[in-house]
Protein backbone atom coordinates (compact mmCIF):
# COMPACT_ATOMS: atom_id res chain seq x y z
CA UNK A 1 0.00 0.00 0.00
CA UNK A 2 1.04 3.57 -0.60
CA UNK A 3 1.50 5.74 2.50
CA UNK A 4 -0.14 9.15 2.49
CA UNK A 5 -1.88 11.59 4.78
CA UNK A 6 -5.20 10.07 3.71
CA UNK A 7 -4.08 6.49 4.48
CA UNK A 8 -2.97 7.58 7.97
CA UNK A 9 -6.27 9.37 8.52
CA UNK A 10 -8.35 6.45 7.23
CA UNK A 11 -6.48 3.93 9.37
CA UNK A 12 -6.64 6.19 12.38
CA UNK A 13 -10.42 6.32 12.05
CA UNK A 14 -10.77 2.56 11.48
CA UNK A 15 -8.75 1.27 14.45
CA UNK A 16 -5.44 0.85 12.52
CA UNK A 17 -6.79 -2.36 10.94
CA UNK A 18 -6.11 -1.54 7.30
CA UNK A 19 -2.30 -1.72 7.27
CA UNK A 20 -0.77 -4.48 5.19
CA UNK A 21 2.68 -6.09 5.78
CA UNK A 22 5.52 -3.84 4.61
CA UNK A 23 7.12 -6.64 2.57
CA UNK A 24 6.50 -10.32 1.83
CA UNK A 25 8.52 -12.91 3.77
CA UNK A 26 9.43 -14.81 0.60
CA UNK A 27 10.46 -18.46 0.32
CA UNK A 28 13.42 -19.05 -2.01
CA UNK A 29 12.70 -20.04 -5.61
CA UNK A 30 14.98 -22.53 -7.42
CA UNK A 31 16.76 -19.76 -9.36
CA UNK A 32 17.08 -16.02 -10.02
CA UNK A 33 18.84 -13.71 -12.47
CA UNK A 34 20.67 -12.09 -9.56
CA UNK A 35 21.15 -13.23 -5.97
CA UNK A 36 22.29 -10.64 -3.47
CA UNK A 37 23.86 -12.13 -0.34
CA UNK A 38 23.24 -9.88 2.68
CA UNK A 39 20.05 -8.07 3.68
CA UNK A 40 21.66 -4.95 5.10
CA UNK A 41 21.16 -1.49 3.65
CA UNK A 42 23.57 -2.07 0.78
CA UNK A 43 22.10 -5.39 -0.34
CA UNK A 44 18.53 -4.09 -0.21
CA UNK A 45 19.39 -0.81 -1.95
CA UNK A 46 21.13 -2.79 -4.69
CA UNK A 47 18.03 -4.93 -5.18
CA UNK A 48 15.81 -1.87 -5.26
CA UNK A 49 17.85 -0.04 -7.92
CA UNK A 50 18.33 -3.22 -9.98
CA UNK A 51 14.56 -3.49 -10.20
CA UNK A 52 13.74 0.20 -10.40
CA UNK A 53 16.48 1.59 -12.63
CA UNK A 54 17.46 -1.45 -14.70
CA UNK A 55 14.20 -3.43 -14.79
CA UNK A 56 15.90 -6.58 -13.43
CA UNK A 57 13.24 -7.94 -11.11
CA UNK A 58 14.00 -11.65 -10.89
CA UNK A 59 16.19 -10.94 -7.89
CA UNK A 60 16.52 -12.39 -4.38
CA UNK A 61 18.13 -10.87 -1.30
CA UNK A 62 19.35 -13.72 0.91
CA UNK A 63 19.78 -12.78 4.58
CA UNK A 64 21.03 -15.18 7.23
CA UNK A 65 19.12 -13.47 10.05
CA UNK A 66 16.48 -10.76 9.74
CA UNK A 67 17.10 -7.78 7.49
CA UNK A 68 18.84 -4.87 9.18
CA UNK A 69 20.22 -6.98 12.03
CA UNK A 70 23.82 -6.33 10.98
CA UNK A 71 25.56 -2.98 10.81
CA UNK A 72 22.61 -1.34 9.08
CA UNK A 73 20.70 -1.54 12.37
CA UNK A 74 23.71 -0.88 14.60
CA UNK A 75 25.22 2.31 13.29
CA UNK A 76 25.10 5.87 14.61
CA UNK A 77 23.16 7.07 11.54
CA UNK A 78 25.49 9.84 10.34
CA UNK A 79 25.28 10.80 6.67
CA UNK A 80 27.75 13.21 5.06
CA UNK A 81 29.87 13.80 1.98
CA UNK A 82 32.84 15.69 3.46
CA UNK A 83 35.63 13.75 1.75
CA UNK A 84 38.96 14.96 0.44
CA UNK A 85 40.04 12.61 -2.32
CA UNK A 86 38.73 12.59 -5.89
CA UNK A 87 38.18 8.80 -5.73
CA UNK A 88 35.74 9.25 -2.84
CA UNK A 89 34.12 12.68 -3.04
CA UNK A 90 31.89 12.30 -6.14
CA UNK A 91 30.56 8.98 -4.85
CA UNK A 92 29.64 10.25 -1.38
CA UNK A 93 28.11 13.41 -2.84
CA UNK A 94 26.01 11.26 -5.17
CA UNK A 95 24.89 9.39 -2.07
CA UNK A 96 24.02 12.67 -0.35
CA UNK A 97 21.91 13.69 -3.35
CA UNK A 98 20.10 10.35 -3.23
CA UNK A 99 19.49 10.83 0.53
CA UNK A 100 17.95 14.22 -0.22
CA UNK A 101 15.25 12.63 -2.37
CA UNK A 102 15.02 9.24 -0.66
CA UNK A 103 11.79 9.59 1.26
CA UNK A 104 9.85 10.73 -1.79
CA UNK A 105 11.53 8.03 -3.88
CA UNK A 106 10.61 5.25 -1.44
CA UNK A 107 7.36 6.77 -0.11
CA UNK A 108 8.78 6.00 3.34
CA UNK A 109 9.73 8.20 6.26
CA UNK A 110 13.46 7.52 6.69
CA UNK A 111 13.75 10.57 8.99
CA UNK A 112 16.50 12.11 6.89
CA UNK A 113 17.56 15.16 8.90
CA UNK A 114 20.11 17.55 7.41
CA UNK A 115 21.17 18.97 10.76
CA UNK A 116 24.82 19.46 9.78
CA UNK A 117 28.11 17.92 10.87
CA UNK A 118 30.82 19.96 12.55
CA UNK A 119 34.37 18.53 12.67
CA UNK A 120 36.28 20.42 15.36
CA UNK A 121 39.94 21.32 15.03
CA UNK A 122 42.33 21.92 17.91
CA UNK A 123 45.65 22.97 16.35
CA UNK A 124 46.98 25.06 13.48
CA UNK A 125 48.02 21.97 11.56
CA UNK A 126 44.57 20.46 11.92
CA UNK A 127 42.96 23.70 10.79
CA UNK A 128 45.13 23.64 7.65
CA UNK A 129 44.13 20.04 6.96
CA UNK A 130 40.44 20.89 7.38
CA UNK A 131 40.80 23.99 5.19
CA UNK A 132 42.30 21.77 2.50
CA UNK A 133 39.46 19.29 2.81
CA UNK A 134 36.86 22.05 2.74
CA UNK A 135 38.44 23.54 -0.38
CA UNK A 136 38.52 20.13 -2.07
CA UNK A 137 34.83 19.72 -1.27
CA UNK A 138 34.01 23.12 -2.74
CA UNK A 139 35.99 22.35 -5.88
CA UNK A 140 33.81 19.25 -6.22
CA UNK A 141 30.68 21.39 -5.85
CA UNK A 142 29.96 20.30 -2.26
CA UNK A 143 29.05 22.69 0.55
CA UNK A 144 31.58 23.31 3.31
CA UNK A 145 32.32 26.13 5.71
CA UNK A 146 35.44 26.69 7.79
CA UNK A 147 34.43 28.23 11.11
CA UNK A 148 36.50 30.03 13.69
CA UNK A 149 36.20 29.66 17.45
CA UNK A 150 33.62 32.43 17.80
CA UNK A 151 31.46 30.85 15.12
CA UNK A 152 31.59 27.45 16.81
CA UNK A 153 30.89 29.02 20.20
CA UNK A 154 27.76 30.65 18.82
CA UNK A 155 26.54 27.24 17.62
CA UNK A 156 27.53 25.10 20.59
CA UNK A 157 28.28 27.31 23.63
CA UNK A 158 28.45 24.30 25.97
CA UNK A 159 31.60 22.78 24.42
CA UNK A 160 34.81 22.89 26.45
CA UNK A 161 36.60 25.57 24.43
CA UNK A 162 39.39 26.14 26.89
CA UNK A 163 40.36 22.54 27.58
CA UNK A 164 44.05 22.94 28.55
CA UNK A 165 45.25 20.14 26.27
CA UNK A 166 42.78 20.40 23.38
CA UNK A 167 41.42 23.96 23.12
CA UNK A 168 38.85 24.25 20.34
CA UNK A 169 40.10 26.56 17.60
CA UNK A 170 37.24 26.13 15.13
CA UNK A 171 35.58 23.58 12.91
CA UNK A 172 34.68 22.48 9.41
CA UNK A 173 30.93 22.45 8.86
CA UNK A 174 28.98 20.56 6.23
CA UNK A 175 25.48 21.91 6.73
CA UNK A 176 23.81 19.44 4.32
CA UNK A 177 25.10 16.46 6.30
CA UNK A 178 23.12 14.98 9.18
CA UNK A 179 21.41 11.78 10.22
CA UNK A 180 18.82 9.31 8.93
CA UNK A 181 16.86 6.66 10.81
CA UNK A 182 18.85 3.49 10.05
CA UNK A 183 16.06 0.90 10.51
CA UNK A 184 13.69 2.95 8.41
CA UNK A 185 16.23 3.07 5.59
CA UNK A 186 16.39 -0.74 5.61
CA UNK A 187 12.64 -1.10 5.78
CA UNK A 188 12.07 1.54 3.10
CA UNK A 189 14.40 -0.15 0.62
CA UNK A 190 12.97 -3.58 1.51
CA UNK A 191 9.44 -2.36 0.88
CA UNK A 192 10.45 -0.63 -2.35
CA UNK A 193 12.28 -3.71 -3.67
CA UNK A 194 9.45 -6.04 -2.63
CA UNK A 195 6.88 -3.93 -4.46
CA UNK A 196 8.96 -4.31 -7.62
CA UNK A 197 8.99 -8.11 -7.31
CA UNK A 198 12.26 -8.77 -5.46
CA UNK A 199 12.17 -11.77 -3.07
CA UNK A 200 13.52 -10.94 0.38
CA UNK A 201 14.46 -14.27 1.95
CA UNK A 202 15.24 -14.05 5.66
CA UNK A 203 16.69 -16.69 8.02
CA UNK A 204 18.58 -18.23 5.11
CA UNK A 205 22.36 -18.42 5.50
CA UNK A 206 24.63 -18.75 2.49
CA UNK A 207 26.99 -21.59 3.35
CA UNK A 208 28.80 -22.05 0.03
CA UNK A 209 28.71 -21.41 -3.70
CA UNK A 210 27.50 -23.58 -6.57
CA UNK A 211 30.12 -23.84 -9.29
CA UNK A 212 30.31 -24.94 -12.89
CA UNK A 213 33.98 -25.07 -13.75
CA UNK A 214 35.48 -21.84 -12.45
CA UNK A 215 32.23 -19.93 -12.57
CA UNK A 216 29.82 -19.38 -9.70
CA UNK A 217 26.26 -20.25 -10.72
CA UNK A 218 24.40 -19.99 -7.44
CA UNK A 219 24.55 -20.38 -3.69
CA UNK A 220 24.26 -23.20 -1.17
CA UNK A 221 22.11 -22.11 1.74
CA UNK A 222 20.62 -23.41 4.96
CA UNK A 223 17.34 -23.65 2.98
CA UNK A 224 18.77 -25.46 -0.04
CA UNK A 225 20.62 -24.61 -3.23
CA UNK A 226 19.55 -21.59 -5.31
CA UNK A 227 20.88 -20.98 -8.80
CA UNK A 228 21.67 -17.52 -10.15
CA UNK A 229 23.00 -15.79 -13.25
CA UNK A 230 25.06 -13.50 -11.01
CA UNK A 231 25.86 -13.59 -7.30
CA UNK A 232 26.46 -10.27 -5.56
CA UNK A 233 27.96 -10.27 -2.07
CA UNK A 234 27.14 -7.37 0.27
CA UNK A 235 27.76 -8.80 3.74
CA UNK A 236 29.86 -5.99 5.33
CA UNK A 237 31.68 -7.44 8.37
CA UNK A 238 31.33 -11.00 7.07
CA UNK A 239 32.92 -10.19 3.69
CA UNK A 240 36.17 -12.07 4.25
CA UNK A 241 34.33 -15.15 5.52
CA UNK A 242 31.87 -15.28 2.61
CA UNK A 243 34.61 -14.52 0.04
CA UNK A 244 36.69 -17.34 1.52
CA UNK A 245 33.90 -19.76 0.54
CA UNK A 246 34.69 -18.77 -3.06
CA UNK A 247 38.43 -19.21 -2.52
CA UNK A 248 39.12 -15.46 -2.31
CA UNK A 249 41.35 -13.79 0.29
CA UNK A 250 40.29 -10.14 0.61
CA UNK A 251 42.52 -7.16 1.49
CA UNK A 252 40.42 -6.62 4.57
CA UNK A 253 40.24 -7.18 8.33
CA UNK A 254 37.15 -7.41 10.53
CA UNK A 255 37.10 -5.23 13.66
CA UNK A 256 34.48 -4.36 16.28
CA UNK A 257 33.01 -0.87 16.51
CA UNK A 258 30.83 0.10 19.44
CA UNK A 259 28.06 2.67 19.77
CA UNK A 260 26.34 4.17 22.79
CA UNK A 261 22.98 5.73 23.66
CA UNK A 262 22.25 7.69 26.82
CA UNK A 263 19.01 8.19 28.70
CA UNK A 264 16.63 10.63 27.03
CA UNK A 265 17.23 14.36 27.50
CA UNK A 266 15.59 17.54 26.34
CA UNK A 267 17.05 18.80 23.04
CA UNK A 268 20.65 19.92 23.57
CA UNK A 269 22.75 18.82 20.56
CA UNK A 270 20.98 19.82 17.37
CA UNK A 271 23.67 18.66 14.93
CA UNK A 272 26.48 16.13 14.71
CA UNK A 273 29.74 17.12 16.42
CA UNK A 274 33.08 15.34 16.12
CA UNK A 275 35.98 15.87 18.52
CA UNK A 276 39.21 16.41 16.58
CA UNK A 277 41.68 15.56 19.33
CA UNK A 278 40.41 12.08 20.09
CA UNK A 279 37.93 9.72 18.55
CA UNK A 280 34.52 10.85 19.77
CA UNK A 281 31.40 11.99 17.95
CA UNK A 282 27.91 12.78 19.17
CA UNK A 283 24.39 13.60 18.04
CA UNK A 284 20.96 13.45 19.64
CA UNK A 285 18.17 11.16 18.52
CA UNK A 286 14.61 12.35 18.09
CA UNK A 287 13.73 10.39 21.25
CA UNK A 288 16.25 12.50 23.17
CA UNK A 289 19.06 9.98 23.73
CA UNK A 290 22.57 11.17 23.05
CA UNK A 291 24.03 8.86 20.40
CA UNK A 292 27.80 8.67 20.45
CA UNK A 293 30.79 6.55 19.56
CA UNK A 294 34.50 6.54 18.98
CA UNK A 295 37.25 4.27 17.84
CA UNK A 296 37.17 0.60 16.84
CA UNK A 297 38.23 -1.87 19.50
CA UNK A 298 41.58 -2.45 17.81
CA UNK A 299 41.69 -6.23 17.47
CA UNK A 300 40.30 -8.56 14.85
CA UNK A 301 36.95 -10.11 15.73
CA UNK A 302 33.66 -11.40 14.35
CA UNK A 303 31.84 -10.96 17.69
CA UNK A 304 29.15 -8.26 17.65
CA UNK A 305 30.07 -6.93 21.09
CA UNK A 306 32.87 -4.75 22.37
CA UNK A 307 35.25 -4.34 25.29
CA UNK A 308 35.58 -2.01 28.28
CA UNK A 309 38.80 -0.13 27.35
CA UNK A 310 37.08 1.47 24.35
CA UNK A 311 34.07 2.41 26.47
CA UNK A 312 36.45 4.21 28.80
CA UNK A 313 38.26 5.85 25.89
CA UNK A 314 34.99 7.06 24.31
CA UNK A 315 33.73 8.44 27.62
CA UNK A 316 37.04 10.26 28.17
CA UNK A 317 36.70 11.85 24.74
CA UNK A 318 33.15 12.89 25.58
CA UNK A 319 34.21 14.40 28.89
CA UNK A 320 37.06 16.33 27.27
CA UNK A 321 34.65 17.82 24.74
CA UNK A 322 31.54 18.45 26.81
CA UNK A 323 32.00 17.91 30.56
CA UNK A 324 28.28 18.56 31.15
CA UNK A 325 27.55 14.95 30.12
CA UNK A 326 29.50 13.70 33.17
CA UNK A 327 26.46 12.66 35.18
CA UNK A 328 24.56 11.23 32.25
CA UNK A 329 23.45 7.61 32.49
CA UNK A 330 24.27 5.25 29.67
CA UNK A 331 21.17 3.43 28.49
CA UNK A 332 22.71 0.83 26.18
CA UNK A 333 25.67 0.07 23.98
CA UNK A 334 26.46 -2.55 21.38
CA UNK A 335 29.01 -3.57 18.75
CA UNK A 336 29.07 -4.29 15.03
CA UNK A 337 31.67 -5.85 12.75
CA UNK A 338 33.47 -3.48 10.41
CA UNK A 339 34.90 -4.63 7.08
CA UNK A 340 38.09 -2.53 7.36
CA UNK A 341 39.90 -2.37 4.02
CA UNK A 342 43.63 -1.73 3.77
CA UNK A 343 43.21 1.87 2.57
CA UNK A 344 39.95 2.65 4.37
CA UNK A 345 37.94 2.89 1.13
CA UNK A 346 35.35 0.50 -0.29
CA UNK A 347 35.25 -2.02 -3.11
CA UNK A 348 32.42 -2.23 -5.66
CA UNK A 349 33.71 -4.57 -8.30
CA UNK A 350 33.53 -7.89 -10.08
CA UNK A 351 35.91 -10.48 -8.58
CA UNK A 352 38.38 -12.75 -10.39
CA UNK A 353 35.79 -15.54 -9.97
CA UNK A 354 33.34 -15.42 -12.92
CA UNK A 355 29.78 -14.71 -11.79
CA UNK A 356 30.80 -13.29 -8.39
CA UNK A 357 30.56 -9.57 -7.57
CA UNK A 358 31.69 -7.80 -4.41
CA UNK A 359 30.47 -4.81 -2.41
CA UNK A 360 32.64 -4.46 0.72
CA UNK A 361 35.27 -2.54 2.66
CA UNK A 362 32.96 0.13 4.07
CA UNK A 363 34.86 0.37 7.33
CA UNK A 364 32.79 2.43 9.77
CA UNK A 365 31.39 4.79 7.16
CA UNK A 366 29.11 2.66 5.04
CA UNK A 367 25.72 3.81 6.27
CA UNK A 368 25.99 7.18 4.53
CA UNK A 369 26.99 5.31 1.39
CA UNK A 370 23.88 3.09 1.36
CA UNK A 371 21.97 4.79 -1.49
CA UNK A 372 24.96 5.32 -3.79
CA UNK A 373 26.41 1.92 -2.98
CA UNK A 374 23.15 0.28 -4.02
CA UNK A 375 22.90 2.48 -7.10
CA UNK A 376 26.48 1.80 -8.23
CA UNK A 377 26.46 -1.93 -7.43
CA UNK A 378 23.21 -2.31 -9.37
CA UNK A 379 24.79 -0.39 -12.26
CA UNK A 380 27.79 -2.74 -12.28
CA UNK A 381 25.59 -5.85 -12.11
CA UNK A 382 23.25 -4.63 -14.84
CA UNK A 383 25.74 -3.11 -17.28
CA UNK A 384 29.00 -4.87 -16.48
CA UNK A 385 30.74 -1.50 -16.14
CA UNK A 386 31.48 0.53 -13.01
CA UNK A 387 29.35 3.59 -12.36
CA UNK A 388 31.13 6.92 -13.04
CA UNK A 389 31.22 7.86 -9.35
CA UNK A 390 32.55 4.47 -8.18
CA UNK A 391 35.23 3.95 -10.80
CA UNK A 392 38.05 4.03 -8.25
CA UNK A 393 36.62 1.32 -5.98
CA UNK A 394 38.44 -1.51 -7.76
CA UNK A 395 39.48 -4.71 -6.00
CA UNK A 396 42.83 -4.79 -7.83
CA UNK A 397 43.89 -1.32 -6.64
CA UNK A 398 45.84 -2.94 -3.82
CA UNK A 399 47.94 -4.71 -6.48
CA UNK A 400 48.24 -1.76 -8.86
CA UNK A 401 48.91 0.81 -6.13
CA UNK A 402 45.91 3.06 -6.87
CA UNK A 403 44.97 3.34 -3.22
CA UNK A 404 42.35 5.78 -1.91
CA UNK A 405 43.88 6.51 1.47
CA UNK A 406 41.67 9.31 2.79
CA UNK A 407 43.48 9.44 6.14
CA UNK A 408 46.98 8.95 4.77
CA UNK A 409 47.91 6.29 7.31
CA UNK A 410 48.95 3.51 4.93
CA UNK A 411 48.04 -0.16 4.97
CA UNK A 412 46.81 -0.13 8.57
CA UNK A 413 43.14 -1.12 8.50
CA UNK A 414 42.71 -0.49 12.22
CA UNK A 415 43.73 3.16 11.73
CA UNK A 416 41.36 4.12 8.92
C1 LIG B 1 28.56 1.03 15.92
C2 LIG B 1 28.58 1.43 14.48
C3 LIG B 1 28.46 2.77 14.14
C4 LIG B 1 28.49 3.17 12.79
N1 LIG B 1 28.25 4.47 12.50
C5 LIG B 1 28.17 4.86 11.20
C6 LIG B 1 27.78 6.18 10.89
O1 LIG B 1 27.46 6.99 11.76
N2 LIG B 1 27.75 6.55 9.57
C7 LIG B 1 28.08 5.69 8.58
O2 LIG B 1 28.08 6.08 7.43
N3 LIG B 1 28.39 4.39 8.85
C8 LIG B 1 28.42 3.95 10.13
N4 LIG B 1 28.70 2.63 10.44
C9 LIG B 1 29.03 1.70 9.34
C10 LIG B 1 27.81 1.17 8.62
O3 LIG B 1 26.83 0.76 9.52
C11 LIG B 1 28.22 -0.01 7.71
O4 LIG B 1 29.34 0.34 6.92
C12 LIG B 1 27.09 -0.42 6.76
O5 LIG B 1 25.89 -0.57 7.46
C13 LIG B 1 27.48 -1.71 6.06
O6 LIG B 1 26.58 -2.06 5.03
P1 LIG B 1 25.23 -2.94 5.26
O7 LIG B 1 24.20 -2.03 5.82
O8 LIG B 1 24.87 -3.56 3.99
O9 LIG B 1 25.76 -4.01 6.31
P2 LIG B 1 24.97 -5.03 7.24
O10 LIG B 1 23.74 -4.44 7.80
O11 LIG B 1 25.96 -5.58 8.21
O12 LIG B 1 24.51 -6.13 6.19
C14 LIG B 1 25.19 -7.32 5.91
C15 LIG B 1 24.22 -8.46 6.11
O13 LIG B 1 24.80 -9.66 5.60
C16 LIG B 1 24.30 -10.71 6.37
N5 LIG B 1 25.14 -11.89 6.18
C17 LIG B 1 26.42 -12.09 6.61
N6 LIG B 1 26.85 -13.30 6.25
C18 LIG B 1 25.83 -13.89 5.57
C19 LIG B 1 25.67 -15.15 4.96
N7 LIG B 1 26.64 -16.07 4.98
N8 LIG B 1 24.50 -15.43 4.35
C20 LIG B 1 23.49 -14.52 4.31
N9 LIG B 1 23.59 -13.31 4.90
C21 LIG B 1 24.75 -13.00 5.52
C22 LIG B 1 24.32 -10.16 7.80
O14 LIG B 1 23.45 -10.88 8.64
C23 LIG B 1 23.89 -8.72 7.57
O15 LIG B 1 22.50 -8.53 7.78
C24 LIG B 1 28.67 2.20 11.76
C25 LIG B 1 28.77 0.86 12.11
C26 LIG B 1 28.70 0.46 13.45
C27 LIG B 1 28.76 -1.00 13.81
Amino acid sequence: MRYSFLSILANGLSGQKGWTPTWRDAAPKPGYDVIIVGGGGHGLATAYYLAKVHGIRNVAVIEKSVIGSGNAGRNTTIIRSNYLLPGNEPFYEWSMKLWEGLEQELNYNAMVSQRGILNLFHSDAQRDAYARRGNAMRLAGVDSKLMDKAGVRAMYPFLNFDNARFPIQGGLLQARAGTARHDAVVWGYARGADRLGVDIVQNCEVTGFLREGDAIVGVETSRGDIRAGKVAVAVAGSSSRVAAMAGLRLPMESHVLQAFVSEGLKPMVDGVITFGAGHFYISQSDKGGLVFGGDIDGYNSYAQRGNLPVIEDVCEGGMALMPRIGRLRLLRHWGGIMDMSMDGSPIIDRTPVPGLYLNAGWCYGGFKATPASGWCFAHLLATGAPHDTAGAFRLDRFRTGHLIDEKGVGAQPNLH
Side-chain angles (χ1 to χ4, degrees):
M1 69 185 296
R2 202 174 158 74
Y3 299 142
S4 65
F5 173 70
L6 279 181
S7 68
I8 293 171
L9 189 67
N11 275 288
L13 294 174
S14 62
Q16 309 291 354
K17 295 204 178 90
W19 301 111
T20 54
T22 311
W23 63 84
R24 292 167 298 130
D25 197 13
K29 290 193 292 203
Y32 294 91
D33 293 338
V34 180
I35 282 180
I36 297 164
V37 186
H42 292 227
L44 291 161
T46 304
Y48 174 76
Y49 292 120
L50 266 179
K52 178 78 192 290
V53 179
H54 302 282
I56 301 174
R57 297 182 174 201
N58 187 22
V59 174
V61 177
I62 309 290
E63 166 55 46
K64 74 173 176 186
S65 177
V66 293
I67 59 168
S69 55
N71 294 340
R74 293 166 183 266
N75 64 71
T76 40
T77 77
I78 299 167
I79 59 174
R80 58 185 173 87
S81 61
N82 54 358
Y83 279 74
L84 170 73
L85 297 179
N88 275 330
E89 183 56 38
F91 171 83
Y92 287 102
E93 178 56 13
W94 175 228
S95 211
M96 206 59 225
K97 292 212 166 77
L98 291 172
W99 281 117
E100 284 169 334
L102 192 71
E103 290 159 318
Q104 284 71 27
E105 168 75 25
L106 297 177
N107 176 232
Y108 203 85
N109 181 9
M111 295 167 68
V112 176
S113 164
Q114 293 182 281
R115 54 184 74 181
I117 186 166
L118 181 67
N119 302 128
L120 298 171
F121 56 79
H122 308 264
S123 68
D124 290 352
Q126 203 171 26
R127 180 201 57 218
D128 292 352
Y130 281 15
R132 180 174 174 232
R133 174 143 58 114
N135 285 335
M137 290 164 64
R138 286 182 168 222
L139 284 171
V142 180
D143 66 305
S144 74
K145 184 177 170 191
L146 197 68
M147 300 182 65
D148 62 10
K149 185 172 171 175
V152 174
R153 200 189 282 275
M155 274 179 88
Y156 297 117
F158 54 81
L159 296 179
N160 189 4
F161 286 86
D162 301 317
N163 179 311
R165 283 178 72 196
F166 313 118
I168 295 169
Q169 292 193 8
L172 181 67
L173 177 73
Q174 186 185 17
R176 281 169 59 243
T179 56
R181 171 77 201 178
H182 49 8
D183 302 318
V185 174
V186 169
W187 299 331
Y189 273 120
R191 172 171 171 267
D194 176 81
R195 288 170 74 185
L196 295 168
V198 170
D199 279 357
I200 296 167
V201 184
Q202 302 182 97
N203 299 308
C204 181
E205 180 167 3
V206 170
T207 52
F209 292 102
L210 300 174
R211 301 189 89 131
E212 275 177 16
D214 283 346
I216 280 180
V217 294
V219 291
E220 297 166 0
T221 79
S222 51
R223 293 171 69 177
D225 294 351
I226 316 172
R227 293 184 71 84
K230 292 175 181 168
V231 175
V233 173
V235 294
S238 301
S239 296
S240 34
R241 288 212 280 206
V242 172
M245 296 176 198
L248 287 176
R249 188 159 177 255
L250 297 182
M252 212 169 279
E253 290 182 4
S254 290
H255 287 260
V256 186
L257 179 70
Q258 300 190 57
F260 308 82
V261 173
S262 77
E263 60 189 322
L265 302 173
K266 288 188 176 173
M268 64 178 272
V269 183
D270 61 2
V272 183
I273 310 171
T274 74
F275 184 39
H279 211 142
F280 176 82
Y281 59 92
I282 190 163
S283 65
Q284 188 166 18
S285 79
D286 290 357
K287 282 189 286 185
L290 296 184
V291 181
F292 53 94
D295 221 340
I296 54 177
D297 273 29
Y299 52 88
N300 297 7
S301 174
Y302 289 111
Q304 294 189 110
R305 60 177 182 274
N307 256 322
L308 287 171
V310 166
I311 300 178
E312 192 176 7
D313 183 67
V314 169
C315 292
E316 280 171 2
M319 286 300 291
L321 182 66
M322 36 197 297
R324 58 160 27 188
I325 62 174
R327 280 186 289 165
L328 199 65
R329 278 173 297 189
L330 198 61
L331 199 60
R332 55 200 170 92
H333 67 103
W334 61 90
I337 305 302
M338 311 289 80
D339 39 341
M340 305 296 293
S341 66
M342 290 293 150
D343 61 358
S345 294
I347 296 157
I348 301 179
D349 205 356
R350 56 175 75 228
T351 72
V353 182
L356 186 68
Y357 295 75
L358 181 67
N359 175 314
W362 295 100
C363 301
Y364 39 71
F367 177 65
K368 67 173 117 50
T370 304
S373 168
W375 184 286
C376 296
F377 203 26
H379 182 95
L380 174 72
L381 288 161
T383 67
H387 186 261
D388 284 350
T389 63
F393 298 158
R394 304 274 67 84
L395 177 57
D396 71 357
R397 70 176 185 268
F398 303 95
R399 183 163 53 74
T400 62
H402 293 91
L403 303 183
I404 320 166
D405 185 354
E406 189 76 26
K407 275 201 183 168
V409 293
Q412 284 281 99
N414 57 311
L415 296 182
H416 284 291

